[in-house]
Amino acid sequence: MPKTDAQPRLHAVPELDWALTPRQLCDLELLANHAFAPLTGFMNRTDYESVLANMRLANGQLWPMPVTLDVPETFAARLDKDAQVGLRDAEGVLLAILKVEDIWRPDRKEEAEAVFGTTETTHPGVFALLERSHDHYIGGQIELVQRPLHYDFPHLRHGPDELKAEFQRRGWERVVAFQTRNPMHRVHQELTFRAAREVEANLLLHPVVGLTQPNDVNHFTRVRCYEHLLAHYPEQTTMLSLLNLAMRMAGPREALWHALIRRNYGCTHFIVGRDHAGPRNTRTGESFYPPYAAQELLAEHQQEAGIEMVPFREMKYAVNRAQYVPVDELQADEPVREISGTEVRRRLSEGLEIPEWFSYPEVVRELRRTHPPRARQGFTVFFTGLSGSGKSTLANALQVKLMELGGRQITLLDGDIVRKHLSSELGFSKEHRNLNILRIGFVASEITKNGGIAICAPIAPYATTRREVAEMIRPHGGFIEIHVATPLEVCEARDRKGLYKKARAGIIKEFTGISDPYEAPETPEMTIDTTNIAPDQAVQKILLKLEHLGYLSSQSR
Ligand code: PPS
């Protein structure tokens, strides 16, 4: 059982406090428990620049990933060198004190290029860096006051010292670690078996439970799945431990980083597969990194890293042998079966069979508990478009139609309703609009999570904010974006509220489409121009779409 520091040590009272973001909180934990050794704090500028340029700290030690503390300019401006900053969790608990060595404004595009090899914000790590992180970094040593507390799965959380002691207690000298952010199925079990056998080592299943990709299966579900799978490993040979890492999805650099972290946990070997920690470009569907780039980088550095890579080859289920076989050991034309991650999600969402050769029934059952078929999931229909485009009319008509079908709880979050009940103090500056949309997103995600239907109809003019809303909702259910693309001329000619006239006269400032931008969605689920279509016809189209996507059950048709 991991220790908790019940008696915080005495420490100086920090001059300023910083509430850590979820990413920073994960980083702090791994800095404090030495999983990020040789780092002893958030990076200063020299180390940061050296890591970007050479994958090494300024003293030459191998380290591929920036570990920085980002803060807004307003906060940075209040700091002097040598200031002490209290690092607190979301509840305000003081976890550590940062002794500031450096305060600087990084070139985050340069960082994206160096670490991720791209500045494309369709890359989740680049998006987090360029669109979600603050524009100043503060670096310095940290003094731990209290370890971050975890209430979930405490029996499976170990720091490096605890894990090393556990290996020693079990007499494990050679340990091969398996990293994952996904549920594990039989193919993963087979490849971990083979890896352990190949290098004659014990096996550590070391899944990441900190921050992974927004649409990943949540770690609570995954850990229950891993526990079921563990029962299928020979006792005494395999161990499960959770790693509270915030992944960056940086492909090759990330793989090397993962290996160094596992070395710090006392592992001697590390499994690296195809496209390790490489995300797909959501626009093109292509991987950001060549499939074996991670293995190549690790092969180059493994000796210096002090941990040996076990590269694994792709495996497929050979039907006639009733077992998984590496693809290069398959006979020509040998019949194989495979089910991709996307196909697993489709089968779960449609309530279809997932065969036993692919996954153990207990694991599938666990996944089904959190991923019921779409017809039993909540969803959000998110209309976006100019004022007067017909969003509210469609949203109202859709609500009524869904109520007529019956059996579902529906909430309408129309632009005007929200501005009255949730955002009455907000105006129409970019900042206020974003706040307004994020509030709508928060409420809609709660409704979706609890199996309800949220219909939102704000203007929502900015693409990145809409994306953020989608990311808040998608892990919990459906997010259907509908662009009400009625042209500006038509909206202006309608001018039901007389606002366009006022906007043209300059009486209303920052008016969307006139004196403020509207960024049209690039890939909405539907586009509806209400110029020549009656609301009930448009709503029929939406209902068909929802049915096609599987969100309306056959009983409610
Ligand atoms: S936003 O950008 O999404 O926060 O806007 P939203 O909350 O949907 O706006 C709600 C209604 O506010 C009226 N209104 C304005 N719209 C755009 N720009 C400016 N400056 C503005 N001032 C007031 C407008 O009638 C919006 O309602 P709809 O239903 O879209 O016409």
Side-chain angles (χ1 to χ4, degrees):
M1 173 101 178
K3 290 176 276 170
T4 53
D5 294 357
Q7 293 289 317
R9 279 172 291 142
L10 284 178
H11 53 81
V13 180
E15 297 134 49
L16 270 174
D17 283 315
W18 174 251
L20 295 160
T21 64
R23 202 251 306 145
Q24 296 166 350
L25 192 58
C26 290
D27 285 356
L28 174 71
E29 177 170 338
L30 300 204
L31 283 170
N33 71 11
H34 310 300
F36 283 171
L39 302 191
T40 48
F42 287 97
M43 280 180 184
N44 61 29
R45 187 171 186 167
T46 338
D47 279 334
Y48 166 76
E49 286 172 355
S50 168
V51 164
L52 294 198
N54 313 313
M55 296 203 310
R56 288 176 187 283
L57 300 172
N59 65 9
Q61 281 176 290
L62 192 62
W63 189 268
M65 196 60 70
V67 176
T68 51
L69 189 80
D70 57 298
V71 296
E73 185 169 14
T74 43
F75 186 85
R78 293 161 64 198
L79 293 172
D80 294 320
K81 255 188 166 185
D82 303 325
Q84 305 224 337
V85 178
L87 304 180
R88 294 182 184 267
D89 69 9
E91 276 78 48
V93 176
L94 181 65
L95 300 176
I97 294 172
L98 175 82
K99 296 184 182 126
V100 178
E101 273 170 45
D102 260 341
I103 309 159
W104 76 105
R105 179 197 281 275
D107 182 338
R108 284 178 293 167
K109 279 211 160 152
E110 200 178 291
E111 178 179 335
E113 199 57 67
V115 175
F116 299 104
T118 173
T119 53
E120 277 251 27
T121 51
T122 45
H123 185 299
V126 175
F127 181 75
L129 175 65
L130 298 185
E131 304 285 349
R132 290 289 166 261
S133 72
H134 301 291
D135 54 6
H136 276 65
Y137 288 172
I138 53 178
Q141 303 289 309
I142 52 159
E143 183 195 328
L144 185 69
V145 176
Q146 186 179 320
R147 278 194 200 191
L149 258 181
H150 296 284
Y151 296 105
D152 55 331
F153 309 110
H155 58 294
L156 295 175
R157 295 181 185 263
H158 312 88
D161 291 344
E162 289 150 347
L163 209 52
K164 281 187 226 165
E166 182 61 27
F167 293 160
Q168 209 170 18
R169 198 184 64 76
R170 294 177 180 221
W172 292 8
E173 282 175 3
R174 291 161 71 85
V175 181
V176 57
F178 180 67
Q179 135 86 32
T180 182
R181 43 171 259 274
N182 286 312
M184 287 177 69
H185 302 294
R186 292 181 91 137
V187 68
H188 305 107
Q189 186 191 21
E190 185 58 35
L191 79 88
T192 51
F193 267 154
R194 280 178 179 254
R197 215 181 302 140
E198 215 170 284
V199 296
E200 293 177 5
N202 288 96
L203 178 65
L204 172 70
L205 302 179
H206 210 198
V208 168
V209 296
L211 289 186
T212 63
Q213 288 216 95
N215 288 337
D216 286 343
V217 175
N218 74 54
H219 80 265
F220 299 102
T221 307
R222 282 191 290 119
V223 176
R224 290 195 300 269
C225 290
Y226 303 139
E227 287 189 305
H228 289 305
L229 189 74
L230 194 64
H232 292 274
Y233 282 90
E235 239 181 296
Q236 312 295 334
T237 65
T238 307
M239 163 174 187
L240 171 64
S241 181
L242 311 182
L243 179 65
N244 200 41
L245 177 72
M247 287 181 70
R248 280 33 168 194
M249 301 302 294
R253 276 199 187 226
E254 178 113 6
L256 181 55
W257 189 42
H258 287 178
L260 291 172
I261 294 168
R262 271 45 181 237
R263 175 206 61 196
N264 289 339
Y265 275 91
C267 301
T268 51
H269 294 76
F270 181 56
I271 303 175
V272 179
R274 202 174 174 276
D275 205 12
H276 189 104
R280 281 181 188 277
N281 189 329
T282 43
R283 204 157 26 78
T284 63
E286 301 280 306
S287 285
F288 273 99
Y289 308 106
Y292 295 103
Q295 289 187 356
E296 282 159 23
L297 187 74
L298 212 59
E300 218 178 290
H301 294 287
Q302 57 179 342
Q303 202 158 14
E304 187 181 353
I307 183 163
E308 205 175 305
M309 169 174 61
V310 185
F312 75 75
R313 294 159 292 168
E314 202 184 342
M315 295 216 295
K316 289 193 176 157
Y317 185 73
V319 184
N320 295 343
R321 303 193 222 182
Q323 64 176 170
Y324 284 90
V325 177
V327 280
D328 50 3
E329 286 175 24
L330 284 167
Q331 310 285 314
D333 300 333
E334 189 170 348
V336 292
R337 282 201 195 126
E338 55 189 324
I339 299 182
S340 67
T342 316
E343 177 61 11
V344 174
R345 277 193 289 277
R346 188 188 74 84
R347 291 191 185 198
L348 287 173
S349 69
E350 294 182 22
L352 300 172
E353 192 223 346
I354 295 177
E356 257 193 69
W357 63 262
F358 179 78
S359 200
Y360 290 107
E362 316 86 278
V363 173
V364 175
R365 214 172 301 125
E366 203 58 74
L367 289 173
R368 287 197 201 282
R369 281 175 67 201
T370 25
H371 296 80
R374 277 193 172 166
R376 283 201 277 120
Q377 284 177 21
F379 64 89
T380 293
V381 179
F382 193 94
F383 292 98
T384 164
L386 297 170
S387 171
S389 58
K391 302 182 300 293
S392 306
T393 311
L394 292 183
N396 275 295
L398 178 63
Q399 182 187 28
V400 170
K401 245 356 213 177
L402 288 170
M403 286 168 85
E404 186 185 320
L405 291 173
R408 303 295 297 252
Q409 301 299 323
I410 307 160
T411 306
L412 182 61
L413 297 164
D414 188 26
D416 287 328
I417 301 177
V418 170
R419 286 211 169 251
K420 184 165 170 217
H421 295 288
L422 276 182
S423 294
S424 56
E425 85 287 16
L426 298 183
F428 288 87
S429 64
K430 182 167 188 182
E431 194 191 351
H432 277 193
R433 284 179 198 261
N434 283 344
L435 211 52
N436 183 40
I437 302 307
L438 292 178
R439 285 179 189 173
I440 294 175
F442 172 72
V443 176
S445 75
E446 289 296 308
I447 291 167
T448 305
K449 191 180 359 178
N450 292 307
I453 300 175
I455 304 176
C456 312
I459 298 175
Y462 304 117
T464 48
T465 325
R466 291 195 302 261
R467 174 170 166 171
E468 205 172 336
V469 168
E471 280 173 6
M472 285 157 88
I473 294 169
R474 283 211 176 103
H476 308 298
F479 178 79
I480 298 102
E481 186 179 47
I482 301 181
H483 181 199
V484 187
T486 315
L488 177 66
E489 311 79 73
V490 177
C491 301
E492 191 165 2
R494 288 177 182 162
D495 206 8
R496 295 229 174 80
K497 301 177 186 166
L499 296 175
Y500 280 96
K501 208 162 164 206
K502 287 188 184 155
R504 288 282 182 203
I507 300 166
I508 303 182
K509 306 271 186 272
E510 300 176 310
F511 196 83
T512 309
I514 306 293
S515 42
D516 214 60
Y518 178 80
E519 299 165 6
E522 277 185 19
T523 50
E525 247 71 47
M526 284 183 86
T527 302
I528 300 175
D529 174 350
T530 64
T531 315
N532 294 312
I533 185 169
D536 52 352
Q537 281 175 304
V539 167
Q540 278 311 320
K541 282 180 190 258
I542 300 171
L543 288 175
L544 279 176
K545 183 78 185 177
L546 291 173
E547 190 184 327
H548 175 72
L549 291 171
Y551 288 111
L552 302 180
S553 68
S554 48
Q555 295 99 299
S556 57
R557 247 178 272 157

